[in-house]
Amino acid sequence: MSHSHIFIGNFADNLRKLPIVYLFILFALIALPASAQKKVLDHSVYDTWKSLGNISITDDGKFAVCVIKEQEGNDQVLIRQLTSKKELIIPRGYNFSIIPGGKYVAALIKAPYADIREAKIKKKPDEKMPKDTLAVISLDNFSVTKFAGVSGFKTGKDFSEYIAYTLSDTVKVKDKAKGNPQTLIVYRPSTGFKDTLRYVVEYAFSRNGKTLAAAAIAKEKDSADFTKLWYIDLNKYDKKIVSKKQTQYKSIALSESGSKLAFLATSDSAKKEIKEFNLYYYAAGSDSAILTADKTKEGVPEKWGISEFKAPEFSKNEERLFLGVAPVRKPKDTSIPDFEKAALDIWHWQDPFVQPQQLISLKKDQEQSYLSMIVLKEPGRLYQLETEEIPDVQISDENNGRYALGRSWLKYRLQSQWDSHARETLDLWILDLTTHDCKQIKTGLRAECHFSPKGNYLLWYNIGEAKYYGYSVKTGKEICLTNNIPVNLWNEKNDMPEVPNSYGASSWNEDETVLVNDAYDLWKLDPSGTKAPENFTKGVGRKNKVMLRYFRTDPESKFIKPKDKLMFTALDSATKERGFYEMSNKGVLKRLVTDKYTFTIPVKAKNQEVYLYTKSNFNTSPDLYVTSNAWKTETKLSDINPQMKEYNWGTAELVTWTAFDGRVSTGVLMKPEDF
């Protein structure tokens, strides 16, 4: 027997000989150090841990807003004034929007978690579930105005004097496809003005917030006069009915300026199984919306019609209107009762997808629509862009461009069942939207393909060759761009049994050059091949073994402009520290911050150099921080998990060792706090 075993045995014998009172004192003394220790983290407390979501900042950089989420419980909306540190917490707030203009925040407030849980246990119907409340908060004085029984709200994207919200008073209709009619309230916070629209099934703001459109349908027992579509000029609050006497409206679309409106509508009765939808168009100042496209329109294939499953959309310059067309669906055969029909799932070994995937994608396949275009100056004809041969078309320059890229993967679907890169194998076409010509330019290209913002070039990374190519849309010239780059642009650490992908493309520039990544730096490529590749980050990343990656501070930007100041995430491959670098518009790259934390991508105020972000590591909860001086200093704005201090946590330490193959490996050693 070992010495340890003898000791344990003797200790047990001696314990049995002690009086009970001494045993009690002994165990109390042993327990004393344990009682002074921190609590042990276990699954019983996981649900009380909090996280941050939907981090936002006003355009002027004066207010930060976010949601404090609890795993199981009540969320909160936190509003923090960044100059005075004054804050407001909206209990149970979970969904908010900073109203464009920066004067108000609108937030939905849930009923207490316990009430919702109890209602679910009792299986209450939707109409009897606890309802949300809308809170409108003035950022001038943090005053709060509340509206009960709200199901949702919307505002304009760029600016909005109004908030439109729907009440949870859904009216039951026999035809569920019509939507859920609700009362819509149009509210102006600055004046308290309200307008009520009844039986609304859909509504939308223009991007600039100056126009609102709303569609309503009648209950079965009401007059059909209730079914109508309003166009509301919010500058003077002029409300106009532009369509009525349809039985159903859907897919309202407003142009960016709000001066043009498109929507789908049908006059078919509720009893008709498959309804025939048509496209209607309205221009501000007209008497009413006009029928713009139906199945008889020139350009619509025979036995095809306007698809109800693709919403219409305007080009950014508002000169084009896009919609979907599709084969007319056949109604169900009602001559045979359902119980006499056989239900079979039949799969053939040459089917492009295995049977489970076919069942999952069945609804999507049944609703397949094909993009088409109407030029509003020449509205007499429809041009079908997507076809059964070319099922995907991307239009350049925010739908304004002359050229479009057509893509098809249909020939390679069967092969994709065992070859992951077959999913990236494409046939490519160029569509000229002025001459309406279509030219195939590639077959079986295994590539990551990118369309330049203005549509003059294509860029693709040929996976098999591990090289980037540029293609001029106008001349058809194709050229390899990376033959003379002395470093690899493919993922050198790929550990899967397949050809590695590239490190990725970062962004286009305004002059239609493009930035692509290597392991550490970014390279500037000219897709025309006129200029030689340029190390955009001047080799700073590779020299310091820091991986630099560009990120947009303006999520709306489509390309980098010459005067832009660029931001990069940074990861030090040796120390594993993370942070940010900045490049001035003169091309000078400098480090802003690196530290032993994981940072989220910062959210920048639109008009100020103020950034919100979270940072965290093994010992630090991901709280919210702000900097307004390029990380010279930062301010902590939240403390969402103060209970962390009460628990036995631990430490994380970066360690290195030599592996069996002789290579130096790096890892993180984690130890309990009382190790």
Side-chain angles (χ1 to χ4, degrees), residues 574-588:
T575 66
K576 308 306 178 186
E577 290 187 348
R578 297 174 183 267
F580 304 104
Y581 278 58
E582 176 187 80
M583 180 183 283
S584 69
N585 51 25
K586 294 182 180 179
V588 178

Side-chain angles (χ1 to χ4, degrees), residues 78 87 90 235 247 275 281 344 407 422 476 501 643 654-655:
L78 168 66
E87 71 176 33
I90 307 296
N235 287 321
T247 56
K275 299 176 179 62
Y281 166 71
L344 297 174
R407 308 191 310 160
N501 282 319
Q643 75 278 16
L654 187 66
V655 295

Side-chain angles (χ1 to χ4, degrees), residues 381-623:
R381 178 181 171 81
L382 174 145
Y383 297 97
Q384 185 181 343
L385 306 180
E386 292 177 349
T387 65
E388 290 174 295
E389 182 187 12
I390 312 174
D392 179 67
V393 169
Q394 301 171 357
I395 302 167
S396 61
D397 195 15
E398 299 180 84
N399 289 340
N400 298 337
R402 174 174 177 174
Y403 298 104
L405 173 65
R407 308 191 310 160
S408 176
W409 52 89
L410 298 179
K411 295 179 184 176
Y412 316 103
R413 291 181 299 176
L414 179 63
Q415 185 181 347
S416 70
Q417 293 183 29
W418 63 84
D419 181 358
S420 62
H421 279 304
R423 300 167 197 161
E424 299 168 319
T425 303
L426 298 168
D427 296 340
L428 299 181
W429 290 260
I430 292 296
L431 288 72
D432 187 326
L433 303 189
T434 300
T435 64
H436 308 293
D437 293 329
C438 179
K439 178 177 70 172
Q440 185 168 6
I441 61 169
K442 279 291 176 181
T443 302
L445 178 67
R446 281 195 172 192
E448 305 162 8
C449 193
H450 308 271
F451 208 6
S452 69
K454 296 176 184 177
N456 293 317
Y457 297 97
L458 289 177
L459 176 83
W460 62 71
Y461 175 79
N462 189 305
I463 296 171
E465 298 180 14
K467 295 178 181 179
Y468 278 98
Y469 284 80
Y471 177 88
S472 171
V473 173
K474 292 180 180 178
T475 66
K477 181 181 177 182
E478 176 185 341
I479 185 169
C480 181
L481 306 176
T482 54
N483 276 334
N484 298 321
I485 291 181
V487 296
N488 294 323
L489 299 176
W490 47 270
N491 185 357
E492 297 151 305
K493 294 185 178 180
N494 176 68
D495 58 358
M496 300 178 69
E498 60 184 20
V499 179
N501 282 319
S502 71
Y503 285 110
S506 286
S507 178
W508 289 91
N509 296 302
E510 189 173 30
D511 61 0
E512 293 202 286
T513 57
V514 64
L515 301 181
V516 301
N517 303 318
D518 71 19
Y520 297 103
D521 290 298
L522 287 83
W523 292 79
K524 183 177 180 180
L525 306 180
D526 177 7
S528 71
T530 304
K531 297 178 182 178
E534 172 192 345
N535 192 315
F536 188 70
T537 47
K538 308 295 190 292
V540 171
R542 187 167 293 271
K543 178 181 177 182
N544 298 290
K545 295 294 185 264
V546 173
M547 184 177 73
L548 299 172
R549 293 293 181 260
Y550 166 75
F551 67 90
R552 288 185 173 89
T553 54
D554 178 6
E556 297 288 320
S557 66
K558 305 300 180 185
F559 46 75
I560 298 171
K561 299 178 182 177
K563 294 184 179 180
D564 286 350
K565 185 164 55 177
L566 308 186
M567 296 279 289
F568 302 85
T569 61
L571 170 61
D572 190 308
S573 60
T575 66
K576 308 306 178 186
E577 290 187 348
R578 297 174 183 267
F580 304 104
Y581 278 58
E582 176 187 80
M583 180 183 283
S584 69
N585 51 25
K586 294 182 180 179
V588 178
L589 190 67
K590 69 174 182 178
R591 183 182 70 86
L592 297 177
V593 62
T594 51
D595 209 340
K596 296 178 181 180
Y597 294 94
T598 294
F599 297 82
T600 56
I601 298 296
V603 178
K604 181 185 177 297
K606 185 175 182 180
N607 303 323
Q608 298 292 332
E609 292 292 322
V610 182
Y611 297 86
L612 289 179
Y613 55 95
T614 69
K615 70 176 189 178
S616 59
N617 59 22
F618 185 78
N619 306 89
T620 308
S621 177
D623 275 300

Side-chain angles (χ1 to χ4, degrees), residues 202-206 211-215 228-233 240-243 249-264 279-286 288-292 312-314 318 320-322 376:
E202 188 174 342
Y203 65 103
F205 280 91
S206 60
T211 306
L212 174 68
K228 62 189 74 173
L229 193 142
W230 289 281
Y231 175 88
I232 306 173
D233 183 344
K240 183 176 184 178
I241 297 173
V242 299
S243 178
Y249 293 100
K250 67 186 303 184
S251 302
I252 295 172
L254 284 159
S255 63
E256 287 207 11
S257 69
S259 63
K260 296 177 180 178
L261 165 70
F263 56 90
L264 301 177
L279 177 71
Y280 290 81
Y281 166 71
Y282 173 78
S286 304
S288 60
I290 59 173
L291 174 65
T292 300
E313 180 184 5
F314 290 94
E318 306 186 7
R320 296 167 174 168
L321 178 56
F322 298 93
L376 292 175

